[in-house]
Amino acid sequence: MLENMSANQRLMLAVALSIIFFTAYTAIFPPVQPTSSELQTNSEVKLKPTHNNVQEQVQTAAGHAISDADKMAAMQSSTIVTITNKDFTLKIDTLGRISSKELLQEKFNDKEGNHAQLIPAFATKPLYLRFLDANINKEATSVIYTASVKDIALGDAPQKVILTQKLSNLTVTKELTFYADGHYDAKVSLSNNQRYFIYLGQRPEITEQMMTVSGAMVYDGDLITIVEDGDAEGRKAFSGVALISAFDQYAATIMYGFAKDTNIIIERDRDDNPVVYFDGLQTMTFNGYVGQKEYKVLHNINPMLTHAIEYGWFTFASKPLFVFLSWLHGIFGNWGWSIIALTFTIRIILYPLTYKGMMSMQKIKKISPKIKELQAKHKGDPQRMNKAVMDMYKKHNANPLGGCLPMLMQIPVFFAIYRVLLNAVELQGAEWILWVDDLSRMDAYYILPILMGASMYYQQKLTPSNFTDPMQEKVFKFLPVIFTFFFLTFPSGLVLYWFVNNLFSIGQQFIVNAQFKNATDAEEALAKTNKSDKKDGDKANA
């Protein structure tokens, strides 16, 4: 069916695919609207009723029910422990929660120059305990914790703090050991057994860019389940979980090291964002991490934590690409040159495919006058015209889709690289050359996007075209302008990739054009020789 499409139809299809690809990934996978009935679905976690109404029972244990109380606690609480080191300042409040973690490295600062704050001010916070018994929980939200130490200067050696909350008939103890790399060990124990939940905390809210994923993740050792913000559909329960994470583009709050039979629950808040918590035991241990999703840091803590670095639907391709990019960085010591080396490697791998596509376009350009003649000859008979055109393509071994397929094949590769470069926190503050001092942010001077657009325009000039419609040609010529506009706000690392990719395409097009010209000249010379030999033979026979 595609081979019967006109050149104009194929062009419009390509433009439509490009626009959809760059601007509306979420339009391809629209969020499913939650249904109210799903709120009460809970086949795996059974809670003891504390109210007659089932909905009230759900809200008693659910994360969204504590939002108001949590806001009040956030405003009334004070810091009881402050942990500092050269990279961050972490605070624990009177409810025994990690209430703040501020990154001190300048490369993580926001556009206004403020230090990055990983814990939202008004949201569920890590290590928050909520009791199922309403009376105990009410008391627990009003009785403050005490700490064994007030200030900790965290160096290379880990430091421990013991938090204690003494209620009327219950004592809660949290033993927390903090490490310089951002992770911690936790031991929570109760003086007597009560049903309670420990909260992961809401995700960091630092950066929001187009087509990034933010929300919650559950990893069971084989399968990753992601619930994006705005897509939470009620209660989901998991067991045998290895890792849970609440994440945004660059940072994450992670907990791991649970017992295999721990019930992990994802609830939705009033904004349909996921809230993650799990059933606590009378005495239990686990581990946590609050920080940036740097591959080497997570790998050194526990290789399993690298699964917290996700790239959406293209994780299967993006993850190995990042590992390779990181390996290149170990060679070049610069992320910009590593991106260029990655681009070169991909172009080498795709060279046979793109070469065939370019040669096919040259062949189509060569026979385009004959195609036009056939179209004019059979103008009133579309079926006969299509057959004649396809016969012409077959005769000259030209594939009408040969030029489109290489481009379409590169789209998944580009999208995988896009997710790598957009989610790689390693690019934050990473310099390349001259004016490019942060590959994770847009080019403030728009130099790279303009160079990318110019290179795309020049590549078009070199690429053979067989337009029959002037309007079609004008639309095609405007594509570099459209792409330049899209790329203005893209991270510099991504624009660098596309610009260098265009340069390699230009070089390859030069080679293909020269090879095709040489082959055509040789064919014409051979044809002239054969024609001359035939004339000489005819004269001799005469």
Side-chain angles (χ1 to χ4, degrees), residues 44-66:
E44 297 184 56
V45 178
K46 296 182 179 179
L47 303 177
K48 297 178 181 179
T50 58
H51 298 281
N52 293 329
N53 186 279
V54 176
Q55 184 65 25
E56 291 180 1
Q57 172 195 331
V58 172
Q59 292 181 349
T60 298
H64 63 264
I66 70 167

Side-chain angles (χ1 to χ4, degrees), residues 274-293:
V275 177
V276 186
Y277 56 96
F278 55 91
D279 270 306
L281 304 176
Q282 184 172 356
T283 298
M284 71 179 306
T285 60
F286 58 93
N287 312 99
Y289 172 82
V290 180
Q292 302 292 74
K293 295 183 290 184

Side-chain angles (χ1 to χ4, degrees), residues 204-343:
E205 297 177 353
I206 301 177
T207 50
E208 292 290 343
Q209 293 197 34
M210 184 178 66
M211 299 174 72
T212 57
V213 179
S214 59
M217 169 195 294
V218 174
Y219 174 63
D220 64 6
D222 295 308
L223 180 67
I224 291 177
T225 301
I226 294 177
V227 179
E228 296 187 34
D229 283 350
D231 286 353
E233 300 178 353
R235 177 169 300 176
K236 293 184 179 180
F238 305 83
S239 61
V241 171
L243 173 154
I244 56 177
S245 171
F247 62 93
D248 75 348
Q249 181 181 4
Y250 290 134
T253 297
I254 302 171
M255 290 182 181
Y256 59 102
F258 314 102
K260 287 293 184 181
D261 58 351
T262 302
N263 287 322
I264 307 295
I265 306 154
I266 297 182
E267 188 66 68
R268 68 177 180 182
D269 64 12
R270 292 189 176 92
D271 297 320
D272 290 339
N273 296 330
V275 177
V276 186
Y277 56 96
F278 55 91
D279 270 306
L281 304 176
Q282 184 172 356
T283 298
M284 71 179 306
T285 60
F286 58 93
N287 312 99
Y289 172 82
V290 180
Q292 302 292 74
K293 295 183 290 184
E294 295 187 61
Y295 184 89
K296 287 184 178 180
V297 171
L298 296 179
H299 187 274
N300 290 337
I301 296 172
N302 187 327
M304 182 264 298
L305 295 187
T306 59
H307 291 284
I309 305 173
E310 53 68 46
Y311 306 96
W313 290 93
F314 275 76
T315 296
F316 71 95
S318 296
K319 190 169 184 177
L321 275 176
F322 175 79
V323 173
F324 181 62
L325 179 64
S326 183
W327 179 78
L328 291 173
H329 179 260
I331 297 175
F332 293 97
N334 180 285
W335 287 104
W337 295 115
S338 302
I339 291 172
I340 294 174
L342 174 66
T343 310

